[in-house]
Amino acid sequence: MHNLRWSHPLLLLSLASALHAQDLRHVTQPRIPQACTVLQAKLAPVAGRLPADAEDHLDTARIQQAMDQCPAGKAVVLESSASGQVFLSGPLALRSGVTLVVDQGTLLAASTNPRLYDLEPGSCGVLGMHGVGCKPFLFGNGIDNSGIMGKGAIDGRGGARLQGQNVTWWELAQRAKLLDLYQKVPHLIILNRVKNFTLYQITLRNAPGGHVSAHNADGFTAWGVTIDTPATARNTDGIDPGSSTNVTITHCNIQNGDDEVAVGSGGDLPSSHLSILDNHFYAGHGMSIGSGTSGGVNHMLVKNLTIDHTQNGIRIKSDPSRGGLVQQIIYQNICIRNATNPIVITPHYTDFAGNRLPIYQDVTLRNVDVLTPGNYIFSGLDAQHKLGLTLDNVFAQGLDRSHVQALNAAIIIGPQLGNLIPQGQDVTTTQAPGAQHGEPSAQPISCPAALEPFADPSTAPHLEEQIPPVDHTFYVAADGTGDFYSIQQALNAVPNTGGLISVAPGTYHEVLTITKPHIILRSPYRQAGRTVVAADKSAGDSGGTDRSATVNVLANDFLAQNITIQNNFNATHPQLPQGSQAVALLVRGDREIFDNVRLLGNQDTLLAGDAPCKAPSCAAARQYFNRCYIEGNVDFIFGNAKAVFNQCEIHSNPHSEGMLTAQSRIFPQQDSGFVFNNCRLTADSGVTNVYLGRPWRPYALVVYLNTWMGQQIMPAGWREWHPGETHSLQTAYYAEFHSSGPGAHQGQREPYSHQLTEKQAQRFTPENWLRGSDGWNPTAIQDQQP
């Protein structure tokens, strides 16, 4: 661990290469054209509210008519009057050669009527499987030499109630995140196939979706633009050039709820020659390339940038479904403060497969100072497609090697890097030529002690809005639409006091380890098969049965809902007597709840509470499995927990001989055992010769209450651990109460087993069996969950 009071130079180089990665145009400060028409506002808000009938008297027609009739090279000016400061409009089409000017103190506000934005009837203001459904507020298609200028403001009203709906645009976005759907909301400005388009001085507020998207533009300038939208407003990107060339973004102040700037490309059209200069980024997701880069991104210069209180600082992100070649990228003179992830370069933004490979070459970070601790990722795609990265005079306060991930990377380094970038995983590091000859160490660039605070320069009125509250949920989505694409990443980020992790449908190929208490892991859909955590470890290849689990719950007070956990080892390997044990779920904590969870495996699917216990007084871990589906064949529910399986289906898949349980109570007075309450015991077609359990330890305790048993259950019900060798049935406690179905075999059970009376069965109800000294009642806790 390095002393957090000191800066540690990631790399110290002295390079004199000329900067060529930038806009090829000669860009100077824009000038506002002369007016062809001046329109005056008629609406005056009172305490941020417009008149009740404002939506019945929109300004759409008169603004559109003015732009349609304005000669090229002129401007339509919107200005305040003695009676009003606000224009209220539906979608507007920008015209070639015409500039829309919103004058100082004036506000152009978007209508909240979703029907005005419909691409087809009813397509906007709803949730869906795809995200396209709305027209943007301002749209420019195939126009030249146009712009939006002025010291006024444009308000997308993302936090205002929609007409006819008790919801805001931003609330739709939050609902979409919860349900892994897409919100169909309008973007503020979309430009397509434009040439020489300019945004100048304008303030953009509260976009329902993204603020500015420029697709296939040749010549785009944003100069002195302010973007002011709450950090909690989801998917409100700032400025996104896509497949565009000759782009300058300069002197802009941006705070929003997603990437401040995200450069991307689609199809085979690249983004190239971009200059992002002299900007300030605040609460948001930082300076990004991606996630779509299939056309490539090249010749980009980011210079003189401050980043403060963002989720990410510098980020390059993509995956093999939408990647491409990213090269000749320079970041220079960058100050980063209070960013959770100061530098992230990853081709694994999601786990989507494809043949559009994300390849990152010739990426340079020069004169970068990270003023606060955070997480770093330097990753290439694989050993054949390594990240090519130069870190030139990059400093990071409080850098800790445990917060640095590096793999498949070729990194040029300096003499004082030390061991801060982990080696291995196809990571190679090379000293810069100056470092080899003992040149003096460089120094951090001069970042201000406090970065300049955000300020909205516009005097235009502010309208009433409902700012989304801070959502402390950690969202995981395999497609990259959440906060994380890996569940373990979210688990690592959750505070030590616990938190809620919402997992979108998908298959997550990873091993999870939960070491923090009070974690809730939940999918929003009751169909547990839609959200799958899968791995394929086994006792033979991982060093033991208890090391083979897909999910390891080691902390107390864990809750999982609506998720499938599976071990796929036997899908690709034969099931052998030794080494094939493959655990899906290992649980060692106390007060654990699994509701509507599917556990899939063969031998040893569920290891329930195998915590070491060397004395009779040991308190067993208590676990509650409610409405779960558990599948396997040999000893597939085993361990030493005090567990209840309530309304679960216990399913046997093919094997020559099956055992549902292998409970391992060590002492006769030990307070542990498995209780199955109102369960169903089922099996694949043709499966026979299945036992209710066998005693893994001499005092095993298993009880079935009100359980339906299929015909696969053997008449004796219970079996010795090793028949003829062990004699644990005599000391184990095996019991049933009101078993039913063809496998109940009344009167034919093993003579050492018990048939309980109603009074005896009361001891094993979920409430009584799991109460403990703290009065825990998981049935009540579970009923409170949504």
Side-chain angles (χ1 to χ4, degrees):
M1 179 71 68
H2 293 267
N3 191 321
L4 301 187
R5 295 175 299 173
W6 296 94
S7 292
H8 295 279
L10 282 177
L11 193 57
L12 307 171
L13 299 177
S14 178
L15 302 179
S17 59
L19 299 180
H20 59 284
Q22 53 191 326
D23 192 336
L24 298 177
R25 302 174 299 159
H26 178 63
V27 178
T28 58
Q29 184 167 351
R31 299 179 63 182
I32 297 177
Q34 292 184 344
C36 65
T37 302
V38 177
L39 302 177
Q40 292 193 327
K42 301 176 181 179
L43 291 173
V46 177
R49 297 183 180 181
L50 296 174
D53 63 348
E55 290 281 354
D56 298 327
H57 305 284
L58 297 178
D59 295 299
T60 314
R62 66 180 182 131
I63 298 174
Q64 190 64 66
Q65 182 180 29
M67 290 195 293
D68 292 347
Q69 296 177 355
C70 187
K74 302 291 185 179
V76 172
V77 178
L78 309 182
E79 70 174 18
S80 300
S81 68
S83 59
Q85 307 85 36
V86 177
F87 292 82
L88 184 63
S89 176
L92 295 167
L94 303 170
R95 296 307 185 197
S96 195
V98 177
T99 298
L100 177 64
V101 176
V102 184
D103 200 13
Q104 185 166 351
T106 306
L107 180 69
L108 173 60
S111 168
T112 57
N113 182 357
R115 301 288 70 81
L116 298 179
Y117 303 92
D118 282 343
L119 288 175
E120 55 187 48
S123 65
C124 190
V126 296
L127 304 182
M129 298 300 294
H130 304 285
V132 179
C134 303
K135 303 172 186 175
F137 181 46
L138 302 175
F139 181 66
N141 184 34
I143 59 176
D144 301 346
N145 302 307
S146 304
I148 300 171
M149 300 184 181
K151 294 183 178 180
I154 301 174
D155 192 337
R157 303 180 72 197
R161 294 284 174 194
L162 304 186
Q163 278 196 300
Q165 298 177 234
N166 188 28
V167 67
T168 69
W169 297 115
W170 293 337
E171 287 172 343
L172 278 176
Q174 187 62 24
R175 292 181 186 179
K177 190 173 187 178
L178 287 169
L179 299 173
D180 192 40
L181 295 172
Y182 288 90
Q183 68 272 24
K184 298 188 178 184
V185 302
H187 288 256
L188 195 63
I189 302 170
I190 289 185
L191 308 170
N192 185 39
R193 295 186 297 107
V194 300
K195 292 184 178 180
N196 297 320
F197 190 94
T198 301
L199 294 173
Y200 178 52
Q201 293 184 332
I202 195 74
T203 293
L204 307 177
R205 299 176 184 157
N206 306 322
H211 287 80
V212 182
S213 295
H215 304 289
N216 196 14
D218 184 359
F220 170 84
T221 301
W223 188 302
V225 174
T226 298
I227 295 179
D228 185 10
T229 292
T232 53
R234 179 173 179 253
N235 296 145
T236 52
D237 279 40
I239 302 175
D240 291 356
S243 297
S244 295
T245 189
N246 291 323
V247 172
T248 290
I249 301 170
T250 186
H251 301 293
C252 296
N253 291 344
I254 303 176
Q255 66 174 10
N256 58 346
D258 211 310
D259 296 321
E260 272 87 354
V261 171
V263 178
S265 63
D268 297 322
L269 298 174
S271 280
S272 64
H273 298 290
L274 304 101
S275 297
I276 302 170
L277 314 172
D278 302 300
N279 299 295
H280 299 286
F281 293 171
Y282 301 86
H285 293 186
M287 175 65 231
S288 295
I289 295 176
S291 56
T293 59
S294 60
V297 177
N298 61 77
H299 294 92
M300 185 178 88
L301 172 65
V302 180
K303 185 177 180 181
N304 300 339
L305 172 64
T306 62
I307 302 175
D308 196 8
H309 283 91
T310 57
Q311 184 179 95
N312 306 292
I314 294 168
R315 179 165 64 157
I316 304 176
K317 55 179 180 174
S318 194
D319 61 60
S321 73
R322 50 189 161 180
L325 179 60
V326 175
Q327 62 177 342
Q328 294 176 298
I329 310 296
I330 297 175
Y331 302 88
Q332 181 170 335
N333 301 344
I334 315 293
C335 295
I336 302 174
R337 180 194 297 275
N338 298 316
T340 305
N341 308 296
I343 303 172
V344 174
I345 303 175
T346 176
H348 305 292
Y349 183 57
T350 77
D351 61 359
F352 286 2
N355 58 7
R356 294 183 176 272
L357 303 184
I359 302 170
Y360 308 147
Q361 298 177 353
D362 194 10
V363 178
T364 299
L365 277 65
R366 178 179 300 131
N367 299 334
V368 175
D369 194 1
V370 182
L371 303 172
T372 50
N375 303 309
Y376 298 78
I377 299 177
F378 305 107
S379 177
L381 182 63
D382 52 37
Q384 289 72 45
H385 305 93
K386 288 188 174 184
L387 164 65
L389 176 66
T390 296
L391 299 175
D392 176 5
N393 199 40
V394 176
F395 283 75
Q397 295 275 6
L399 182 61
D400 177 357
R401 185 177 181 183
S402 67
H403 291 274
V404 180
Q405 299 179 35
L407 68 157
N408 301 316
I411 304 175
I412 300 178
I413 65 172
Q416 298 185 30
L417 178 62
N419 62 352
L420 295 179
I421 292 184
Q423 302 298 300
Q425 294 291 311
D426 283 308
V427 175
T428 59
T429 54
T430 305
Q431 283 193 340
Q436 295 173 2
H437 293 89
E439 290 185 5
S441 299
Q443 297 296 319
I445 60 172
S446 178
C447 289
L451 300 186
E452 185 176 324
F454 181 85
D456 180 350
S458 175
T459 59
H462 286 263
L463 299 183
E464 184 179 57
E465 62 183 355
Q466 292 185 325
I467 297 175
V470 175
D471 185 355
H472 296 288
T473 301
F474 294 77
Y475 291 93
V476 181
D479 64 359
T481 58
D483 303 320
F484 306 90
Y485 66 87
S486 157
I487 301 173
Q488 188 62 54
Q489 284 182 333
L491 287 166
N492 295 342
V494 167
N496 291 332
T497 53
L500 170 61
I501 299 174
S502 180
V503 185
T507 299
Y508 299 84
H509 296 281
E510 53 182 325
V511 173
L512 305 184
T513 302
I514 293 92
T515 59
K516 302 170 184 176
H518 304 289
I519 297 290
I520 299 174
L521 188 66
R522 175 188 294 148
S523 173
Y525 291 95
R526 292 299 299 173
Q527 299 88 350
R530 296 183 61 182
T531 306
V532 179
V533 184
D536 59 357
K537 297 169 67 178
S538 73
D541 62 26
S542 61
T545 301
D546 62 351
R547 298 181 181 181
S548 67
T550 299
V551 174
N552 303 268
V553 182
L554 308 181
N556 295 337
D557 300 295
F558 176 78
L559 168 64
Q561 284 187 308
N562 310 333
I563 289 175
T564 294
I565 301 169
Q566 63 191 51
N567 192 313
N568 293 332
F569 177 78
N570 289 126
T572 54
H573 298 81
Q575 186 172 344
L576 304 174
Q578 298 295 326
S580 292
Q581 297 89 342
V583 176
L585 172 65
L586 179 151
V587 193
R588 284 184 170 150
D590 189 29
R591 298 184 300 271
E592 317 285 42
I593 299 176
F594 298 85
D595 179 47
N596 191 36
V597 172
R598 299 169 75 241
L599 305 176
L600 307 182
N602 280 2
Q603 184 173 357
D604 295 355
T605 303
L606 168 62
L607 175 49
D610 190 36
C613 183
K614 302 298 184 182
S617 59
C618 286
R622 292 165 296 171
Q623 299 159 11
Y624 182 63
F625 297 83
N626 186 60
R627 296 176 295 183
C628 293
Y629 175 91
I630 306 174
E631 180 179 311
N633 49 45
V634 176
D635 303 332
F636 63 96
I637 302 174
F638 72 111
N640 197 24
K642 190 175 187 181
V644 168
F645 301 83
N646 187 62
Q647 300 182 37
C648 294
E649 180 177 355
I650 313 301
H651 187 83
S652 297
N653 56 35
H655 195 268
S656 59
E657 188 175 43
M659 279 69 68
L660 304 186
T661 67
Q663 212 275 335
S664 58
R665 191 170 64 143
I666 300 172
F667 305 105
Q669 63 270 55
Q670 188 179 350
D671 191 20
S672 76
F674 298 161
V675 173
F676 296 82
N677 183 55
N678 290 309
C679 293
R680 291 178 57 83
L681 310 184
T682 62
D684 284 2
S685 177
V687 170
T688 59
N689 204 24
V690 175
Y691 292 88
L692 300 175
R694 60 174 179 167
W696 186 18
R697 296 291 184 264
Y699 297 98
L701 187 154
V702 180
V703 176
Y704 290 85
L705 307 178
N706 305 303
T707 293
W708 183 91
M709 302 180 178
Q711 62 185 4
Q712 75 278 4
I713 301 300
M714 296 292 288
W718 311 92
R719 204 206 81 166
E720 185 55 68
W721 182 252
H722 291 303
E725 299 179 15
T726 57
H727 305 281
S728 297
L729 283 175
Q730 301 173 27
T731 53
Y733 187 89
Y734 286 147
E736 298 172 63
F737 175 72
H738 280 183
S739 296
S740 62
H745 297 294
Q746 299 292 336
Q748 300 182 57
R749 288 298 192 235
E750 210 305 313
Y752 287 107
S753 65
H754 306 271
Q755 296 295 322
L756 303 178
T757 67
E758 185 170 353
K759 182 177 180 181
Q760 291 171 325
Q762 283 299 308
R763 174 191 174 196
F764 300 104
T765 63
E767 297 85 351
N768 290 334
W769 187 240
L770 297 174
R771 181 177 292 118
S773 61
D774 56 5
W776 188 53
N777 184 1
T779 62
I781 296 171
Q782 186 274 324
D783 287 342
Q784 295 172 12
Q785 305 304 321

